[in-house]
Amino acid sequence: MKKIRALIIDDERLARDELRLMLKEFAEINIIGEAANADQAERMISNLRPDVIFLDIQMPVRSGFDLLEALPVTPLIVFITAYETYALKAFEVSAIDYLMKPVREERLKKAISEVKLRFKESENDHLFVKDKGQYHIINWSEVYLIESLDNYVRIYFGHKNILFKSSLNQLEERIDNATFFRIARAQLINLNYIKSITQQESSLSVKLKSGQHFPVSIRQAAKLKNLYNRK
């Protein structure tokens, strides 16, 4: 298993120092940074894309929950706080664990075990996103179409579709190229959801099981035909 990239977010330096020392006992955890407030954390999450965040709740100006509301994609979450009153809300946003300060070694060990389990389950198989105030855990096998919309993509799965802040190129790097195929500049499709492929003179089009039709770019048409010829 790859190392789990972790970000510590707490406005108290001593709390960050203590947690960093405790986390160094876990070889599978790679601490990629620390943030002292929600604004700094938001920028670091966007740039570094951690797998898990160890998140304080009460911080100046913006709380840990305010931070989560602002994130288009949420990493795995372990809350670390001095207050018991937020536990219910913490699990409503799918937190893995809720640890009280001062953090006890056995409780941290339990949380890390769950982080490892969730990380292994989610690695390349799931996407955890928030759309219109709702959190979705999307299995890539259920996604049949991804379309580019400026700085966002629209992800189609089941009978739903959601907006996700990412470029199509960035998302393409995260998914299985044996399952997904870029048919044109703005569309990425799941090959398992193709119903038919139609040749019309020099052009090619695909029909998905959803009933949607899409033209395939000339460059990608040759690649798609070669792909199916090998099957």
Side-chain angles (χ1 to χ4, degrees), residues 158-206:
H159 299 292
K160 302 177 182 178
N161 65 82
I162 63 168
L163 279 176
F164 175 54
K165 192 171 183 180
S166 171
S167 71
L168 202 57
N169 289 337
Q170 288 173 332
L171 202 59
E172 192 174 12
E173 293 175 358
R174 300 178 56 181
I175 59 181
D176 183 5
N177 290 328
T179 302
F180 288 86
F181 184 83
R182 185 81 168 260
I183 58 170
R185 183 184 62 82
Q187 287 93 25
L188 192 64
I189 63 169
N190 188 328
L191 295 170
N192 296 320
Y193 286 84
I194 293 179
K195 184 174 183 179
S196 62
I197 301 176
T198 305
Q199 176 82 51
Q200 295 176 337
E201 297 181 356
S202 61
S203 65
L204 202 68
S205 66
V206 296

Side-chain angles (χ1 to χ4, degrees), residues 201-220:
E201 297 181 356
S202 61
S203 65
L204 202 68
S205 66
V206 296
K207 181 179 181 179
L208 301 182
K209 294 176 182 179
S210 62
Q212 295 159 290
H213 290 260
F214 296 99
V216 183
S217 72
I218 294 174
R219 179 181 178 183
Q220 294 302 95

Side-chain angles (χ1 to χ4, degrees), residues 77-198:
I77 309 161
V78 176
F79 281 110
I80 298 182
T81 179
Y83 303 90
E84 296 180 354
T85 53
Y86 301 108
L88 180 59
K89 187 174 180 181
F91 290 108
E92 287 177 352
V93 296
S94 302
I96 287 179
D97 212 335
Y98 188 92
L99 306 183
M100 297 294 299
K101 295 178 179 178
V103 177
R104 291 182 288 123
E105 184 178 349
E106 61 270 24
R107 284 292 290 116
L108 183 60
K109 187 178 296 185
K110 180 176 180 294
I112 296 299
S113 294
E114 187 63 25
V115 167
K116 288 166 58 180
L117 179 63
R118 297 278 194 93
F119 177 73
K120 187 175 180 180
E121 288 176 349
S122 64
E123 193 174 19
N124 299 321
D125 291 328
H126 297 79
L127 182 67
F128 185 38
V129 300
K130 184 184 68 177
D131 181 60
K132 297 177 182 176
Q134 290 188 320
Y135 290 87
H136 302 268
I137 299 177
I138 305 172
N139 191 316
W140 285 118
S141 65
E142 298 174 353
V143 174
Y144 59 88
L145 170 66
I146 307 171
E147 286 192 296
S148 176
L149 297 167
D150 297 323
N151 295 323
Y152 289 80
V153 293
R154 187 175 293 279
I155 301 175
Y156 295 80
F157 60 103
H159 299 292
K160 302 177 182 178
N161 65 82
I162 63 168
L163 279 176
F164 175 54
K165 192 171 183 180
S166 171
S167 71
L168 202 57
N169 289 337
Q170 288 173 332
L171 202 59
E172 192 174 12
E173 293 175 358
R174 300 178 56 181
I175 59 181
D176 183 5
N177 290 328
T179 302
F180 288 86
F181 184 83
R182 185 81 168 260
I183 58 170
R185 183 184 62 82
Q187 287 93 25
L188 192 64
I189 63 169
N190 188 328
L191 295 170
N192 296 320
Y193 286 84
I194 293 179
K195 184 174 183 179
S196 62
I197 301 176
T198 305

Side-chain angles (χ1 to χ4, degrees), residues 43-102:
R43 291 191 297 271
M44 293 181 73
I45 290 170
S46 176
N47 294 330
L48 301 177
R49 299 191 178 188
D51 301 306
V52 61
I53 54 176
F54 292 88
L55 178 61
D56 190 15
I57 293 178
Q58 285 207 338
M59 295 183 289
V61 186
R62 298 169 67 201
S63 71
F65 291 119
D66 292 332
L67 169 64
L68 296 179
E69 284 294 319
L71 298 178
V73 182
T74 309
L76 301 175
I77 309 161
V78 176
F79 281 110
I80 298 182
T81 179
Y83 303 90
E84 296 180 354
T85 53
Y86 301 108
L88 180 59
K89 187 174 180 181
F91 290 108
E92 287 177 352
V93 296
S94 302
I96 287 179
D97 212 335
Y98 188 92
L99 306 183
M100 297 294 299
K101 295 178 179 178

